[in-house]
Amino acid sequence: MNREEIMNILPHRDDMLLVEEAYLEDGAAHGRYTVRGDEFFLRGHFPGNPVVPGVILCEMLAQSACVLLAAGQSEGCTPFFTSMNNVKFKNPVRPGDTFETRCVITREKKPFYFCAGEGYVDGKLCVKAEFSFALVKND
Protein backbone atom coordinates (compact mmCIF):
# COMPACT_ATOMS: atom_id res chain seq x y z
CA MET A 1 0.00 0.00 0.00
CA ASN A 2 1.14 3.49 -0.73
CA ARG A 3 0.32 6.59 1.30
CA GLU A 4 -2.99 7.20 -0.50
CA GLU A 5 -4.17 3.62 0.10
CA ILE A 6 -3.16 3.84 3.77
CA MET A 7 -5.23 7.04 4.12
CA ASN A 8 -8.28 5.03 2.98
CA ILE A 9 -7.89 2.90 6.12
CA LEU A 10 -6.51 5.36 8.68
CA PRO A 11 -8.04 8.72 9.57
CA HIS A 12 -4.57 10.18 10.33
CA ARG A 13 -3.25 13.01 8.19
CA ASP A 14 -0.18 15.23 8.21
CA ASP A 15 1.61 15.54 10.60
CA MET A 16 0.35 12.37 12.30
CA LEU A 17 0.28 9.87 9.43
CA LEU A 18 3.44 7.97 10.29
CA VAL A 19 3.39 5.10 7.79
CA GLU A 20 4.62 5.79 4.25
CA GLU A 21 4.05 2.33 2.85
CA ALA A 22 2.67 -0.95 4.13
CA TYR A 23 2.11 -4.48 2.95
CA LEU A 24 0.68 -7.73 4.23
CA GLU A 25 2.76 -10.89 4.30
CA ASP A 26 2.15 -14.18 6.10
CA GLY A 27 -0.63 -12.66 8.22
CA ALA A 28 1.54 -9.78 9.41
CA ALA A 29 1.43 -6.09 8.58
CA HIS A 30 4.73 -4.53 7.60
CA GLY A 31 5.15 -0.77 7.56
CA ARG A 32 7.90 1.65 6.70
CA TYR A 33 8.65 5.25 7.56
CA THR A 34 11.83 7.18 6.78
CA VAL A 35 12.61 9.81 9.40
CA ARG A 36 13.36 13.01 7.49
CA GLY A 37 14.59 15.05 10.44
CA ASP A 38 12.13 17.94 10.12
CA GLU A 39 9.22 16.23 11.91
CA PHE A 40 7.47 18.16 14.70
CA PHE A 41 8.39 15.54 17.32
CA LEU A 42 12.14 16.02 16.75
CA ARG A 43 12.24 19.79 17.33
CA GLY A 44 12.79 19.50 21.07
CA HIS A 45 13.73 15.84 21.49
CA PHE A 46 16.70 16.38 21.90
CA PRO A 47 18.33 19.55 20.50
CA GLY A 48 21.66 18.64 18.92
CA ASN A 49 20.94 14.93 19.36
CA PRO A 50 17.51 14.23 17.79
CA VAL A 51 15.91 10.91 18.71
CA VAL A 52 12.38 9.78 17.77
CA PRO A 53 10.34 9.70 21.01
CA GLY A 54 9.23 6.28 22.20
CA VAL A 55 5.56 7.26 22.13
CA ILE A 56 5.92 8.09 18.42
CA LEU A 57 7.52 4.68 17.76
CA CYS A 58 4.51 3.07 19.45
CA GLU A 59 2.17 5.16 17.29
CA MET A 60 4.02 3.95 14.18
CA LEU A 61 3.51 0.34 15.31
CA ALA A 62 -0.19 0.91 15.91
CA GLN A 63 -0.73 2.62 12.56
CA SER A 64 0.93 -0.24 10.71
CA ALA A 65 -1.20 -2.77 12.62
CA CYS A 66 -4.35 -1.03 11.38
CA VAL A 67 -3.61 -2.11 7.80
CA LEU A 68 -4.54 -5.64 8.92
CA LEU A 69 -8.16 -4.52 9.05
CA ALA A 70 -10.19 -5.45 6.02
CA ALA A 71 -10.97 -2.63 3.63
CA GLY A 72 -14.17 -0.92 4.75
CA GLN A 73 -14.01 -2.53 8.20
CA SER A 74 -12.72 0.68 9.76
CA GLU A 75 -14.89 2.99 7.65
CA GLY A 76 -16.75 5.49 9.83
CA CYS A 77 -14.59 4.55 12.83
CA THR A 78 -11.58 5.94 14.61
CA PRO A 79 -8.96 3.58 16.06
CA PHE A 80 -8.13 4.49 19.68
CA PHE A 81 -5.32 2.99 21.76
CA THR A 82 -6.79 1.05 24.70
CA SER A 83 -3.63 -0.45 26.17
CA MET A 84 0.12 -0.78 25.84
CA ASN A 85 1.98 -3.57 27.63
CA ASN A 86 5.49 -4.94 27.82
CA VAL A 87 6.93 -2.03 25.83
CA LYS A 88 10.70 -2.33 25.46
CA PHE A 89 12.96 0.24 23.80
CA LYS A 90 16.22 -1.31 22.60
CA ASN A 91 17.89 1.15 20.20
CA PRO A 92 17.27 4.79 19.24
CA VAL A 93 15.72 5.86 15.94
CA ARG A 94 17.30 8.98 14.41
CA PRO A 95 16.87 11.25 11.38
CA GLY A 96 17.81 9.43 8.19
CA ASP A 97 16.75 6.03 9.59
CA THR A 98 14.12 3.93 7.88
CA PHE A 99 11.95 2.48 10.63
CA GLU A 100 10.36 -0.84 9.61
CA THR A 101 7.55 -2.47 11.55
CA ARG A 102 6.05 -5.94 11.78
CA CYS A 103 2.71 -6.31 13.58
CA VAL A 104 0.20 -9.09 14.05
CA ILE A 105 -3.26 -9.16 15.54
CA THR A 106 -3.08 -11.77 18.28
CA ARG A 107 -6.74 -11.67 19.29
CA GLU A 108 -9.91 -9.76 18.57
CA LYS A 109 -13.11 -9.20 20.46
CA LYS A 110 -14.81 -6.52 18.41
CA PRO A 111 -14.49 -3.64 18.68
CA PHE A 112 -11.15 -4.48 20.41
CA TYR A 113 -8.04 -5.71 18.60
CA PHE A 114 -4.98 -7.03 20.46
CA CYS A 115 -1.61 -6.81 18.74
CA ALA A 116 2.08 -7.52 19.04
CA GLY A 117 4.58 -5.43 17.14
CA GLU A 118 8.27 -4.85 16.61
CA GLY A 119 10.16 -2.01 14.98
CA TYR A 120 13.60 -2.21 13.38
CA VAL A 121 16.26 -0.04 11.76
CA ASP A 122 18.70 -1.92 9.52
CA GLY A 123 17.63 -5.21 11.09
CA LYS A 124 18.30 -4.01 14.66
CA LEU A 125 15.37 -4.21 17.06
CA CYS A 126 14.45 -0.73 18.32
CA VAL A 127 11.09 -1.33 20.03
CA LYS A 128 8.71 -4.16 20.78
CA ALA A 129 5.29 -3.95 22.38
CA GLU A 130 1.93 -5.53 22.96
CA PHE A 131 -0.97 -3.15 22.53
CA SER A 132 -4.67 -2.96 21.83
CA PHE A 133 -7.01 -0.56 20.15
CA ALA A 134 -10.72 -0.18 19.70
CA LEU A 135 -12.57 0.86 16.57
CA VAL A 136 -15.02 3.48 17.80
CA LYS A 137 -17.83 4.68 15.56
CA ASN A 138 -17.63 8.36 14.69
CA ASP A 139 -20.49 10.53 15.95
Side-chain angles (χ1 to χ4, degrees):
M1 293 180 181
N2 62 29
R3 193 168 169 85
E4 288 295 315
E5 293 167 316
I6 293 166
M7 288 192 309
N8 288 330
I9 296 171
L10 293 174
H12 301 75
R13 297 297 181 263
D14 287 334
D15 293 314
M16 281 305 295
L17 182 60
L18 300 171
V19 179
E20 294 171 332
E21 62 181 86
Y23 63 94
L24 301 174
E25 182 177 88
D26 299 327
H30 297 263
R32 185 173 293 130
Y33 182 85
T34 300
V35 182
R36 300 179 313 272
D38 63 350
E39 290 88 352
F40 74 92
F41 49 81
L42 291 173
R43 286 187 211 133
H45 197 265
F46 301 102
N49 185 25
V51 175
V52 177
V55 68
I56 296 294
L57 298 177
C58 291
E59 178 67 23
M60 291 172 171
L61 287 176
Q63 287 185 22
S64 38
C66 286
V67 304
L68 287 164
L69 301 173
Q73 187 174 351
S74 62
E75 192 172 315
C77 296
T78 300
F80 285 100
F81 262 127
T82 54
S83 73
M84 295 181 69
N85 297 302
N86 301 316
V87 180
K88 306 274 192 247
F89 300 103
K90 303 290 188 174
N91 288 289
V93 178
R94 302 181 183 282
D97 288 345
T98 298
F99 184 67
E100 298 184 61
T101 61
R102 182 185 183 282
C103 297
V104 295
I105 293 177
T106 57
R107 184 168 61 98
E108 67 180 73
K109 185 176 180 185
K110 293 181 183 177
F112 299 99
Y113 295 84
F114 301 85
C115 305
E118 298 174 334
Y120 298 86
V121 171
D122 294 328
K124 286 178 64 176
L125 181 65
C126 296
V127 62
K128 63 188 286 185
E130 297 167 0
F131 54 94
S132 63
F133 62 93
L135 284 181
V136 178
K137 293 248 185 248
N138 298 336
D139 292 332

